[in-house]
Amino acid sequence: MSEREQPRRETVTLIDNATGRRVELPVRRGTHGPAVIEIGRLYKELGYFTYDPGFLSTASCRSAITFIDGERGVLLYRGYPIEQLAEHSTFLEVAYLLLYGELPDREQLRRFEDTITHHTMINESLKSFYQGFYHDAHPMAIMVGVVGSLSAFYHDSTDIRNPRHREVAAHRLIAKMPTIAAASYKHSVGEPIVYPRNDLSYVGNLLRMMFAVPTEDYVVHPVAERALDLIFILHADHEQNASTSTVRLAGSSAANPFACVASGIAALWGPAHGGANEAVLRMLAEIGNVRNIPKYIAKAKDKNDPFRLMGFGHRVYKNYDPRARIIRRMCHEVLRELGDDNDPLFELALRLEEEALRDEYFIERHLYPNVDFYSGLIYRAIGIPTNMFTVMFSIARTAGWVAQWMEMIADPEQRIGRPRQLYDGPPRRDYVPLEQREPARAAGGVHFQGEARVTD
Ligand code: ACO
C-alpha cells in the first residue's frame, strides 16, 4: 500500500495557548462507547499531566469484559445483554463467561461447576482466624481480613505469570467466597461454622452454610435460591467501578491475587459503593412511614444536610439502571412467595421511588434507583441480616474481580498503575528546629484540611 493510500490515523490536536506548542494525540476506538484520546505522550511533549478527580472522563484500561451505556441503560457481559442472562443463565455460567469470554458448552459448564464445587472447602487453620475477631465485628471487616489471609496459603498457585496458576487462583476465590462469607456470619451470631456440601448449587450451598445449625438442617427454598442466583448475576461485574479498579491497581504491582481481592472488598464496603444496599434498608427503617417521605426527600435535596437517598443515583447510569428494573420485578415475586407482599418497607420503597422520580431535583440530575435500591428487600425476605448485604455483593463481584484481574495480567500493555497529582501543598521550605518554632495556634489536637480532626 502506498503512503497516500494509508488510512488516515484519527487524532486530536491539543494546543497550548500559552506557548503555541501543539501535540497530536492518537484516538482509539473500541467496539461500543466513546473513543479515547491516548494521552501517554502528553507529559513528554507538552509537560502537562491531566487532572480528572473521580475519573469522570478517564478510561483507566482497555477491557473486553463488560460494557455499560449509561445514557441508554445498557449493560452487556461479553456482549450479552444483562436482561437475557438474567432470564436464561445461572451465576456460575455467567462467571464462566466473564472469565473465559464465551458461553460454555454443556461439558465445559459441567467441568467448571465441578471444579468450583470441589474448591469450596477452606483450610482448617483458616477457621482459627475467626476467633481473633470480636463477636460484633462487621462481617465485611472479617471478609477483608480472612480473604486477604488466603494469600498466606496456596503457594502452589500464586506465580501470577503462569496462566494456569492465575486460573486456579480465580477458581479458588470464586469457590471459597461463600464458605468464608457464611463463616463470617456464623461467627457474628456465635454459631459453629457449617461445612459446604457438594450436592447443592452455588447459592444453595451458601444459604445452607449460613442457616443450618448442628441441631437442624436448612432446606433451601427454590424461590430464594433463584432470587439469590439472579442477584449474583446482576452483581457479577460492572466494568471499572471503584472496587474493580482497586483490584486492578493492587494487581498492577504483581501483588498476590487473594490480597488484591481483599483490597476490592475494602473498596466495596463504602456506602457510596456496595455498602449502599445495607444503607438503603437502614434508611427505609429510619423513614419508617410513607408520611415521612416528603421530609426525607427535602433532606436529600438540602445541600447543608449530608443525607442522600441511598440506592439512588449512579456515576454511569443517567437513565434507569437496567439491573434495578430486573430486580424490582424479582422483589415482587420473592415477597409474594417468601415474605409479606404487604411488607411495609417494600411499600415504602415503592412510594419513595415514585415520589423521588416526580421531583424536579431528581429529574434534573438524572437520579434513578440503582440495583441496590431493591436488592436489600429481597435479602431481607430470604432472611439474610442487614450487615451481610454487602458481603453477598462481594461474593458475586468476585467473579468480575478475578476476570478483570486475569485480563489485566495477560494484557501486553499492562504496567504498574501509578497516577500523578496536582501538588498544592506548601512550596519548598527549610526545617525549623523545635525550640525555634512558634507555638501552634490550634490547641487540643491536629487539624487536617476538611472535616477530619484527630486527637490522641
Ligand atoms: N440523593 C440526593 N442527591 C444526590 C444523590 C442522592 N442519592 N446522588 C447524587 N445526588 C446529587 C448530588 O448532590 C449532585 O448534586 P449537585 O449537582 O447539585 O451538586 C448531583 O446529584 C450529582 O451527584 P454526584 O455525587 O456528583 O455524582 P457521582 O457520580 O459522583 O456519585 C453516587 C454517584 C456515589 C452513586 C451518588 O449518586 C450517591 O451517593 N448515591 C447514593 C449511594 C448509592 O446508592 N450508591 C450505590 C451506587 S451503585 C453500586 O455501587 C452498586
Side-chain angles (χ1 to χ4, degrees):
M1 196 187 269
S2 75
E3 206 177 298
R4 280 186 50 221
E5 287 167 324
Q6 291 279 346
R8 252 182 77 80
R9 213 167 53 121
E10 207 180 333
T11 57
V12 161
T13 304
L14 194 71
I15 304 168
D16 181 346
N17 290 328
T19 63
R21 287 173 61 207
R22 56 175 60 214
V23 58
E24 215 173 308
L25 299 166
V27 168
R28 199 193 278 198
R29 290 196 177 273
T31 322
H32 292 305
V36 300
I37 303 168
E38 286 187 56
I39 55 159
R41 286 179 16 241
L42 189 65
Y43 174 60
K44 221 176 186 170
E45 306 225 352
L46 282 191
Y48 288 114
F49 295 148
T50 55
Y51 184 60
D52 183 17
F55 299 103
L56 294 181
S57 302
T58 299
S60 60
C61 63
R62 59 177 185 173
S63 178
I65 301 177
T66 294
F67 172 72
I68 304 172
D69 182 338
E71 312 301 323
R72 292 191 301 135
V74 171
L75 170 60
L76 311 175
Y77 291 165
R78 300 284 191 185
Y80 295 102
I82 192 67
E83 293 80 3
Q84 292 180 23
L85 294 169
E87 192 174 341
H88 303 296
S89 191
T90 62
F91 173 67
L92 280 188
E93 187 182 55
V94 164
Y96 182 99
L97 174 67
L98 293 172
L99 280 179
Y100 299 105
E102 296 296 336
L103 286 169
D105 64 24
R106 205 178 289 277
E107 180 53 21
Q108 286 168 326
L109 182 60
R110 190 200 62 73
R111 279 213 309 271
F112 182 67
E113 287 174 344
D114 189 69
T115 303
I116 298 300
T117 304
H118 286 89
H119 273 112
T120 48
M121 282 175 66
I122 51 175
N123 190 300
E124 273 300 287
S125 56
L126 206 68
K127 274 171 56 186
S128 58
F129 281 54
Y130 289 87
Q131 307 316 318
F133 288 97
Y134 202 54
H135 68 87
D136 65 353
H138 195 288
M140 280 299 274
I142 303 181
M143 293 298 289
V144 174
V146 176
V147 173
S149 73
L150 289 176
S151 47
F153 298 76
Y154 313 120
H155 301 300
D156 61 332
S157 65
T158 45
D159 171 8
I160 64 152
R161 298 291 156 210
N162 180 329
R164 177 62 189 144
H165 282 206
R166 296 201 291 268
E167 187 179 30
V168 172
H171 290 168
R172 283 187 167 137
L173 273 157
I174 293 172
K176 292 182 199 309
M177 281 294 281
T179 315
I180 293 170
S184 306
Y185 171 64
K186 285 301 197 190
H187 179 73
S188 71
V189 291
E191 290 177 7
I193 286 174
V194 173
Y195 287 100
R197 241 178 50 188
N198 287 358
D199 59 327
L200 297 175
S201 71
Y202 187 81
V203 293
N205 205 8
L206 166 64
L207 287 170
R208 184 182 164 275
M209 284 190 288
M210 283 182 71
F211 299 125
V213 285
T215 47
E216 205 172 318
D217 204 0
Y218 173 84
V219 181
V220 182
H221 194 295
V223 172
E225 194 171 12
R226 176 62 195 144
L228 197 54
D229 198 68
L230 176 78
I231 293 184
F232 278 15
I233 291 174
L234 301 181
H235 282 91
D237 195 46
H238 215 224
E239 52 122 299
Q240 308 312 320
N241 56 84
S243 56
T244 303
S245 298
T246 304
V247 172
R248 276 187 178 257
L249 193 57
S252 77
S253 72
N256 179 289
F258 300 102
C260 295
V261 168
S263 70
I265 297 173
L268 185 74
W269 191 2
H273 190 11
N277 53 16
E278 184 176 336
V280 169
L281 255 264
R282 296 197 196 289
M283 174 190 75
L284 291 175
E286 188 187 322
I287 297 175
N289 193 297
V290 287
R291 282 195 309 275
N292 296 328
I293 290 176
K295 182 175 123 198
Y296 279 88
I297 290 195
K299 269 165 76 63
K301 289 159 44 174
D302 181 356
K303 292 291 167 213
N304 298 316
D305 190 325
F307 177 79
R308 282 189 164 198
L309 275 196
M310 298 315 288
F312 258 78
H314 198 277
R315 168 60 63 78
V316 181
Y317 293 120
K318 300 302 173 196
N319 193 320
Y320 211 87
D321 179 341
R323 303 167 302 170
R325 210 185 298 278
I326 299 168
I327 218 165
R328 192 177 191 268
R329 263 199 313 273
M330 178 51 96
C331 199
H332 279 282
E333 195 182 322
V334 169
L335 290 172
R336 208 171 36 241
E337 296 284 337
L338 294 181
D340 178 2
D341 203 10
N342 299 317
D343 180 349
L345 286 195
F346 185 48
E347 269 186 63
L348 187 62
L350 289 176
R351 283 288 292 281
L352 181 62
E353 177 186 6
E354 203 180 298
E355 295 199 21
L357 292 181
R358 272 206 307 259
D359 193 292
E360 223 20 68
Y361 173 96
F362 291 87
I363 297 170
E364 260 173 26
R365 290 168 178 75
H366 306 288
L367 299 171
Y368 296 91
N370 58 50
V371 66
D372 285 326
F373 192 69
Y374 285 105
S375 63
L377 290 161
I378 298 183
Y379 289 143
R380 201 167 83 107
I382 296 175
I384 293 168
T386 312
N387 64 359
M388 282 295 289
F389 290 2
T390 315
V391 175
M392 295 290 132
F393 191 162
S394 73
I395 300 171
R397 186 54 58 85
T398 296
W401 289 333
V402 294
Q404 300 264 352
W405 171 79
M406 283 171 73
E407 180 185 64
M408 179 194 68
I409 302 284
D411 184 349
E413 286 183 7
Q414 189 267 329
R415 305 169 77 175
I416 185 167
R418 180 31 173 114
R420 303 308 303 263
Q421 63 171 10
L422 176 66
Y423 174 72
D424 64 355
R428 188 204 171 281
R429 50 184 170 166
D430 290 322
Y431 179 82
V432 181
L434 185 57
E435 56 282 6
Q436 291 171 25
R437 276 176 232 161
E438 293 282 317
R441 259 171 294 143
V446 181
H447 290 259
F448 290 99
Q449 257 183 339
E451 289 169 6
R453 185 189 157 130
V454 180
T455 49
D456 52 2

